[in-house]
Amino acid sequence: MSMFDIWSGILGGFRITASVTLYGLIFAVPFALVFGVAQYLTTGFARFLVTSVIEFWRSSAVVILLFVFYYALPVVGVTLSAMTVGAMVLGLNTAGYASQAVRAGLQALDRGQKEAGQALGLSRAAILLLIELPQALRAMSPTFINLVIQLVKATSLVSLITLTDMTFRAKEIAQVEYDPVPVYLALLLSYFMVCYPIALFGRWVERSVNPVREASRGI
Amino acid sequence: MSSSTAMTAMNLRFQKDSLCMQDPRQNLAVEIDALHKWYGAFHVLKGIDLRVAHGSRIVICGPSGSGKSTLIRCLNGLEAYRQGTIMLDGTRLGEDAVQTALARRQTGMVFQNFNLFPHLSVLANCTLALRRVAGMARTEAEALAHHYLEKVRIPEQAHKYPAQLSGGQQQRVAIARALCMSPRLMLFDEPTSALDPEMIREVLDVMTELAHDGMTMICVTHEMGFAREVADEVVFMDQGSIVEQAVPATFFSAPSHPRARNFLSTLLH
């Protein structure tokens, strides 16, 4: 098997890798926003509840969650597809981290921003949506791109719950070929080829959401 | 719509608003009675009494930690107070959320650090509250914003971002932003303290002009030249109390309280 054959075999799993990543983001983005904001705004018992949910997803081992949701839940009658489990577990785990970036971004804002909004008579919701979140999300965009890249790489774990992603394909090919070195080398390259464009995209996003900083640097 | 029709529509709207309320001239702009505030165990305001008539200009000065910023921040509800009352134009502040919101809408605040919204253009900084709080249409809001940007003499900066402006320009935008909401009372919390000396003048000029237009103003500032020129009354605070309150001529020539004398001498030397 030529290097090219190995490689095209691995890329046959790209669709699954990409799907898990995209579906994962569908879980991750709303969760991170809602829970990050909730942790920022709530106090007392409500905050304890919000933090508990975040910590469950953030502090659990992804592999174990995948096994539990895919193999153990059917025992109690809940059957989810491998794609759903993969996207949910990986997405919410990433969202646990991302929620902390959202909260940190909000907390890092100058107190004067909120006060200026209050002094102008804006409601708390308007201050959050129009003043605080736009600034916090911009400041945190490098962190979010980081997490997307991490999510892509973490999708290799779904090969453990029967999904034929790039890693699953590589394992298959390695077993057939009895020669793991070129196969895993090709796999390494494949992930790099997926992730590096995301990093480049991230730099572009950073530049385009911060036109002010760029412009002021020129003065 | 031309900008002058937009302005007329604006004026009509605000006139209608004020007709719905009782005649403001019957009340004092600000009436503070026995105001107390604590930060934990620290007694920061110790029984403040202050009356401010419509159209008057009060300068509050005093050493740092005297409670002057806290006092002015209590006036638009940015700080809660424990005891006493604050009446803004006959409406008690802090009684309930709706009243407080109404009172706050009549008050404009200018901060030491400008607190412009860095992610919005100068124009958007000015129109944000007009559109979201006053519910004004975009063209109308922009016409009004341009009007006030001209008033603070930076109409040409409308499409820039705050980070592209000098400190003095930013503070003038902050003044225009506050004026857009047609406040009856303007609060200034050390508006020139974060500025380079050469930019202080341009901000003070705008404030002086505002005073000449008849705006009710309460300014925490150490700009004694401004106080002398513009203030009807100078209030000197020390350790959470008002220790001296006098017209500028008296305050500067013959301050009666030793701490005020001491404060003035350190400012002059």
Side-chain angles (χ1 to χ4, degrees):
Chain A
M1 223 179 182
S2 73
M3 197 66 195
F4 180 79
D5 292 332
I6 293 173
W7 210 30
S8 58
I10 287 174
L11 285 182
F14 172 75
R15 209 175 55 81
I16 297 288
T17 296
S19 304
V20 176
T21 305
L22 292 178
Y23 290 134
L25 285 174
I26 291 173
F27 281 97
V29 174
F31 182 96
L33 281 175
V34 169
F35 278 79
V37 168
Q39 208 181 21
Y40 171 65
L41 291 180
T42 52
T43 51
F45 187 66
R47 184 170 187 177
F48 170 77
L49 288 181
V50 171
T51 308
S52 305
V53 175
I54 292 172
E55 288 306 333
F56 170 77
W57 287 108
R58 192 167 68 132
S59 308
S60 309
V62 175
V63 184
I64 297 166
L65 286 177
L66 285 173
F67 284 154
V68 167
F69 278 85
Y70 190 67
Y71 295 111
L73 277 190
V75 176
V76 293
V78 181
T79 311
L80 300 169
S81 75
M83 181 59 84
T84 309
V85 170
M88 182 178 74
V89 168
L90 293 171
L92 294 184
N93 179 256
T94 304
Y97 297 114
S99 69
Q100 298 309 292
V102 171
R103 178 175 64 85
L106 289 168
Q107 282 176 346
L109 287 177
D110 190 282
R111 196 176 60 144
Q113 291 291 307
K114 182 179 145 199
E115 290 180 350
Q118 288 175 321
L120 286 169
L122 291 165
S123 66
R124 189 68 191 85
I127 291 172
L128 181 73
L129 290 175
L130 302 171
I131 298 171
E132 293 179 302
L133 271 180
Q135 293 186 58
L137 296 184
R138 267 168 228 215
M140 289 294 136
S141 63
T143 308
F144 295 134
I145 295 297
N146 241 350
L147 290 171
V148 174
I149 293 171
Q150 246 173 41
L151 176 63
V152 173
K153 293 182 293 184
T155 58
S156 61
L157 292 171
V158 298
S159 59
L160 299 173
I161 52 168
T162 73
L163 286 175
T164 52
D165 73 323
M166 297 199 300
T167 304
F168 191 95
R169 290 297 191 103
K171 276 193 276 190
E172 274 182 334
I173 298 167
Q175 273 162 11
V176 174
E177 290 287 300
Y178 281 114
D179 186 9
V181 175
V183 177
Y184 284 105
L185 203 64
L187 181 62
L188 193 79
L189 261 172
S190 305
Y191 277 105
F192 181 80
M193 279 175 56
V194 177
C195 292
Y196 189 62
I198 297 176
L200 291 179
F201 171 72
R203 263 171 237 164
W204 175 80
V205 168
E206 239 183 279
R207 267 199 309 273
S208 50
V209 298
N210 289 313
V212 185
R213 203 174 297 165
E214 290 299 312
S216 62
R217 206 174 286 155
I219 288 178
Chain B
M1 194 175 6
S2 77
S3 95
S4 64
T5 22
M7 283 300 301
T8 320
M10 257 307 301
N11 289 339
L12 283 176
R13 182 187 213 127
F14 276 99
Q15 272 166 21
K16 210 172 70 193
D17 276 356
S18 42
L19 283 178
C20 297
M21 285 170 236
Q22 69 232 89
D23 179 8
R25 302 292 143 179
Q26 287 174 357
N27 302 306
L28 288 167
V30 180
E31 247 183 297
I32 306 173
D33 271 306
L35 186 72
H36 286 269
K37 181 178 170 64
W38 285 264
Y39 284 128
F42 180 57
H43 198 172
V44 58
L45 295 178
K46 302 171 184 166
I48 301 288
D49 296 297
L50 185 67
R51 269 150 191 68
V52 181
H54 282 282
S56 63
R57 278 86 59 181
I58 307 293
V59 163
I60 302 176
C61 59
S64 60
S66 59
K68 51 196 194 306
S69 278
T70 306
L71 173 62
I72 202 173
R73 288 163 57 85
C74 283
L75 287 179
N76 72 345
L78 283 182
E79 298 277 354
Y81 54 94
R82 185 90 64 84
Q83 257 179 46
T85 55
I86 296 177
M87 305 281 279
L88 289 183
D89 214 353
T91 304
R92 184 164 169 191
L93 193 67
E95 190 126 86
D96 69 84
V98 179
Q99 293 282 13
T100 304
L102 272 176
R104 213 183 231 170
R105 268 195 62 180
Q106 300 170 27
T107 309
M109 177 102 174
V110 174
F111 299 87
Q112 181 176 352
N113 297 317
F114 330 135
N115 292 348
L116 293 179
F117 307 128
H119 60 302
L120 299 177
S121 70
V122 164
L123 191 63
N125 263 277
C126 293
T127 56
L128 183 69
L130 282 176
R131 302 195 58 201
R132 302 287 165 169
V133 181
M136 198 178 280
R138 188 199 187 102
T139 45
E140 215 179 326
E142 289 186 349
L144 194 67
H146 276 296
H147 169 76
Y148 285 111
L149 286 172
E150 259 163 54
K151 197 168 171 58
V152 300
R153 303 187 197 110
I154 36 174
E156 74 284 359
Q157 312 285 3
H159 296 287
K160 289 198 180 163
Y161 284 88
Q164 294 167 282
L165 305 185
S166 72
Q169 289 173 326
Q170 289 191 49
Q171 192 60 297
R172 286 186 283 148
V173 171
I175 294 173
R177 179 176 71 175
L179 288 176
C180 275
M181 294 302 283
S182 302
R184 298 217 182 106
L185 168 68
M186 282 289 285
L187 304 172
F188 293 86
D189 187 7
E190 304 205 31
T192 57
S193 299
L195 294 176
D196 291 335
E198 68 265 33
M199 290 168 186
I200 290 176
R201 191 70 251 165
E202 64 191 54
V203 172
L204 290 180
D205 283 346
V206 167
M207 289 169 63
T208 306
E209 203 179 301
L210 201 57
H212 292 321
D213 290 349
M215 176 64 79
T216 313
M217 295 164 68
I218 301 178
C219 314
V220 172
T221 183
H222 290 160
E223 293 298 328
M224 291 301 129
F226 174 78
R228 207 188 289 265
E229 190 184 340
V230 168
D232 297 314
E233 237 180 351
V234 179
V235 170
F236 177 76
M237 286 182 70
D238 190 34
Q239 293 174 16
S241 308
I242 293 178
V243 295
E244 180 143 0
Q245 189 172 353
V247 295
T250 314
F251 180 77
F252 289 112
S253 57
S256 55
H257 200 283
R259 274 181 293 194
R261 274 203 291 271
N262 192 25
F263 176 76
L264 281 175
S265 67
T266 54
L267 270 191
L268 296 174
H269 297 298

